[in-house]
Amino acid sequence: MKKPIIIGNWKSNKTQEEAKEWFQKFKSLGTTPDCLLVICPSFTALSVSKSTIAELNLAIKLGAQNISPFEGGAYTGEVSGTMLAELVEFVIIGHSERCTLFHETDDILTKKVEQANKSGLNPIFCIPDERAIIPNTAKIIAYEPISAIGSGQADTPEHANSVGKIIKSMKPDCAFIYGGSVKPENIVSFVKQEFIDGVLPGGASLDPQIFYDLITNAAAAT
Ligand code: PGA
């Protein structure tokens, strides 16, 4: 029996009010199934998410979607690890949308992981395939094939599992999760795989009912 890791990535969605409503609706759906649950709102919704989770006594942890590669100081627009550590325990680093659209390189990603570690945050390090360079201190590795992200065309669970096997042979202490078009209908086929410890849904985390169905299915199957 393993407790699945489920990390919802809201991407650039939800105002503060919408974030609050999401947690209220989620709470109204019933007992939270036994998973390690992390929600990653935008920076602006982190504070209200933290207070709402506490008010509602929900078993949900928070993650950020980005972190500055710098310690702090004269870096206009950047949010440092120290600032994030007041609000979250996790941070997504290396998502393909950031690498493609915002030109984040391996060097930048390594610096981001260093800043996360310095601030006591757990990096969720995303990779497009098993050939990616993975910083040594990354402890949660999210395999997200680019063609599967937001396309409705998930990888096959068997192939994702084979990538997990390779990653875990190199990094046995890491958790390995899969992301890319995960839905309530296909989540069981992923979390049942030997080398997959959880999932990282994007689109399917935006609606509380769909997300609740997703985690309920995952918890029942593991
Ligand atoms: P998706 O996104 O579930 O909408 O495919 C996953 C991700 O980009 O992390």
Side-chain angles (χ1 to χ4, degrees):
M1 295 290 276
K2 59 182 180 185
K3 189 165 161 165
I5 302 169
I6 304 190
I7 301 176
N9 176 10
W10 285 356
K11 307 191 179 184
S12 189
N13 291 291
K14 298 197 189 297
T15 61
Q16 295 186 70
E17 197 50 40
E18 288 165 347
K20 195 172 176 176
E21 280 167 11
W22 190 99
F23 290 108
Q24 286 165 340
K25 173 84 193 296
F26 182 85
K27 171 85 179 185
S28 76
L29 296 173
T31 317
T32 306
D34 196 21
C35 304
L36 170 59
L37 269 191
V38 182
I39 292 288
C40 302
S42 62
F43 287 141
T44 55
L46 283 177
S47 185
V48 73
S49 295
K50 185 176 161 79
S51 55
T52 309
I53 287 170
E55 253 168 51
L56 299 173
N57 198 20
L58 284 167
I60 297 180
K61 295 177 186 297
L62 281 177
Q65 297 172 21
N66 194 11
I67 181 172
S68 174
F70 303 108
E71 182 121 30
Y75 302 104
T76 303
E78 289 296 292
V79 179
S80 74
T82 314
M83 295 168 186
L84 288 176
E86 293 184 323
L87 295 164
V88 304
E89 292 174 58
F90 295 83
V91 59
I92 298 174
I93 296 176
H95 193 283
S96 69
E97 286 156 11
R98 295 222 53 90
C99 296
T100 313
L101 301 171
F102 302 97
H103 314 294
E104 294 188 1
T105 59
D106 287 335
D107 181 46
I108 292 173
L109 302 185
T110 302
K111 290 195 169 98
K112 288 186 173 207
V113 170
E114 278 167 17
Q115 288 304 319
N117 291 329
K118 262 190 170 175
S119 312
L121 302 173
N122 301 298
I124 300 155
F125 193 80
C126 301
I127 58 168
D129 56 48
E130 66 277 17
R131 296 183 299 272
I133 297 169
I134 304 173
N136 278 337
T137 54
K139 290 280 176 272
I140 302 176
I141 316 281
Y143 161 56
E144 299 212 313
I146 292 173
S147 63
I149 296 176
S151 64
Q153 302 292 318
D155 196 359
T156 64
E158 294 74 22
H159 182 255
N161 192 47
S162 71
V163 176
K165 186 174 181 182
I166 294 169
I167 298 295
K168 286 198 170 195
S169 69
M170 298 184 289
K171 300 186 175 289
D173 297 339
C174 283
F176 178 84
I177 65 176
Y178 167 77
S181 298
V182 175
K183 305 264 179 284
E185 297 75 30
N186 64 11
I187 187 166
V188 171
S189 61
F190 286 102
V191 293
K192 281 184 103 161
Q193 301 293 327
E194 183 180 355
F195 298 103
I196 299 181
D197 300 304
V199 291
L200 201 169
S205 69
L206 293 174
D207 180 280
Q209 178 71 63
I210 294 174
F211 191 67
Y212 190 82
D213 292 347
L214 191 142
I215 59 175
T216 305
N217 292 352
T222 52

